[in-house]
Amino acid sequence: MITAVTTAAVSQWRRKTLGKVVFVPTMGALHAGHAALIRRARRLAGKDGAVAVSIFVNPTQFGPNEDLSRYPRPLRADEALCRSEGVDLLFRPDIREMYASDFSVAVSEKSLSLRFEGAERPGHFDGVCTVVAMLFQIIRPDIAVFGEKDWQQLAVVRRMVRDLKFPIRIVGHPIVREEDGLALSSRNRFLPPDARMMAPRIFQALTAAAMEAEGGAKPASLERQLRRDLGRIPGATLSYASIVEETTLEPIGRFTSETKARALVAVKLGGVRLLDNLALPIAR
Ligand code: AMP
C-alpha cells in the first residue's frame, strides 16, 4: 500500500496505474461499514484494478457548532485496516493540501441538498460536494463507492456526477449494522451507555414501518407511526422521519406499483446525531 499526503504523489501513482481505479472516500475512524465498502471496491476493481481510499476530515462540511475538533482520528488503526483490506493507495491530505488559504470556489447542489440533513446543517452538502469533486479530480477514479447509510449524500453525489458530467460510476453499498440493528457510525463511540441501549430502537421503528408498508399502509400513516415510535425512545429528540422517493427525495403522497420508497430518519440521542434509512417494500 502506498500512502500519499500530496496531490502530486497521487498523480504520480495514477499515471502508473493502468487498470480500473475504484475509490472509497472517508473521514477515517474506519469501522466494519467502511471495510465493507473497501471490499466491494476490491471486487469491482478486479484483479487488474486498484483500490484508492481517502481519509480527510473535511472542515467545510461541518457547521460552526458541530464536532469537527472532536471527530476521532485514529490514524494508525485506520492505516492498518486499509492495509489488511488490500487497499493500493491511501490518500490522507492535510487541510492545506486541499484548501488554499484564499480558497473561493465551491460546488453547490441546489435541490436535494436543501432538505433533511441540509435543512438541519446549512452548507453541509456544499462542503460534501466540493470535497468529493476535488477528490474525484485528484484520484480520477472509474468507480466510486458510497454507503447507503448516508442516503441523502448518495443521492446528492449522484446528482452532482450527472449534472457536472463526471465520468465516474457511483455505486451505493448497503448499510452495515451491529447485531442489534444499530447502523455502524464513527460517532457511535460517543454514545453514553444508556443511549447506546436505546439506539437499536431506531432500526426497530424502521423495520416496523417496512412491515406496515408491505401490509398496505399509506405513506402518511407510516410517517405518523415512525414519528410516534421514534418519539417514544427515552432521551431521543426526533430531527426528521419521512417517506421519500429514493432518487428525488420527494415526499410520497400515494404509493403506486412503480414507487421506490425509503424511510429516512435522524434522531439525536445522548448528544449524538444518528441517521438511518430503510427501503420500504410496497404492497402490490
Ligand atoms: P464517513 O467516514 O462517515 O464520511 O463515511 C465514509 C463512507 O462510508 C460514506 O460513503 C458512508 O456512507 C459510508 N458508511 C459509513 N457508515 C456506514 C455503514 N454503517 N454502512 C455502510 N456504509 C457506511
Side-chain angles (χ1 to χ4, degrees):
M1 181 174 85
I2 289 176
T3 299
V5 295
T6 64
T7 54
V10 177
S11 299
Q12 211 175 30
W13 172 84
R14 191 66 183 86
R15 273 195 298 275
K16 287 190 296 209
T17 306
L18 300 175
K20 214 181 280 173
V21 172
V22 187
F23 174 43
V24 182
T26 82
M27 299 207 299
L30 303 179
H31 50 63
H34 299 109
L37 265 56
I38 295 170
R39 258 173 252 156
R40 177 75 176 273
R42 192 70 271 164
R43 285 199 296 279
L44 289 162
K47 69 171 174 29
D48 301 325
V51 173
V53 171
S54 64
I55 294 180
F56 180 60
V57 183
N58 174 37
T60 64
Q61 71 190 68
F62 285 78
N65 300 316
E66 293 179 6
D67 56 353
L68 173 64
S69 60
R70 77 161 187 166
Y71 201 85
R73 291 166 171 85
L75 245 184
R76 274 170 189 280
D78 285 351
E79 281 199 354
L81 183 142
C82 288
R83 193 162 282 137
S84 70
E85 293 296 343
V87 170
D88 298 287
L89 175 82
L90 173 60
F91 179 46
R92 44 173 195 80
D94 69 8
I95 292 175
R96 282 160 309 183
E97 186 67 18
M98 295 295 277
Y99 292 102
S101 58
D102 58 351
F103 152 88
S104 60
V105 177
V107 179
S108 186
E109 193 285 326
K110 294 182 188 306
S111 171
L112 309 176
S113 294
L114 303 179
R115 307 182 202 148
F116 308 118
E117 286 307 291
E120 301 273 333
R121 309 175 66 189
H124 170 69
F125 286 113
D126 288 358
V128 169
C129 285
T130 303
V131 80
V132 169
M134 285 199 263
L135 291 167
F136 283 177
Q137 301 283 15
I138 297 166
I139 310 272
R140 288 189 291 114
D142 299 283
I143 303 175
V145 184
F146 288 81
E148 291 183 352
K149 159 81 178 8
D150 301 280
W151 186 269
Q152 186 178 10
Q153 169 173 284
L154 176 59
V156 168
V157 168
R158 284 190 195 282
R159 181 66 65 90
M160 175 184 84
V161 163
R162 186 197 75 178
D163 287 357
L164 296 185
K165 321 293 182 204
F166 280 96
I168 298 171
R169 183 177 141 215
I170 303 299
V171 171
H173 191 80
I175 301 177
V176 177
R177 299 179 180 281
E178 300 281 5
E179 235 157 69
D180 61 13
L182 174 65
L184 295 188
S185 162
S186 306
R187 290 183 171 104
N188 289 352
R189 67 188 69 191
F190 295 131
L191 284 170
D194 52 340
R196 176 64 189 82
M197 288 234 304
M198 292 300 156
R201 286 178 57 174
I202 301 170
F203 184 56
Q204 286 161 16
L206 285 167
T207 357
M211 278 169 61
E212 291 293 319
E214 209 167 7
K218 297 194 169 56
S221 112
L222 287 176
E223 277 187 3
R224 272 198 305 277
Q225 176 192 327
L226 256 180
R227 287 180 188 147
R228 188 199 59 212
D229 289 355
L230 295 169
R232 283 184 182 157
I233 304 175
T237 317
L238 177 64
S239 177
Y240 55 81
S242 293
I243 313 293
V244 299
E245 200 287 324
E246 65 171 19
T247 308
T248 62
L249 309 186
E250 292 288 345
I252 297 174
R254 200 173 63 85
F255 292 134
T256 70
S257 56
E258 266 83 70
T259 314
K260 288 204 155 47
R262 280 252 153 192
L264 302 186
V265 305
V267 162
K268 193 144 186 194
L269 190 60
V272 182
R273 228 180 127 68
L274 298 174
L275 310 189
D276 206 340
N277 66 82
L278 192 65
L280 298 178
I282 308 302
R284 304 280 172 221

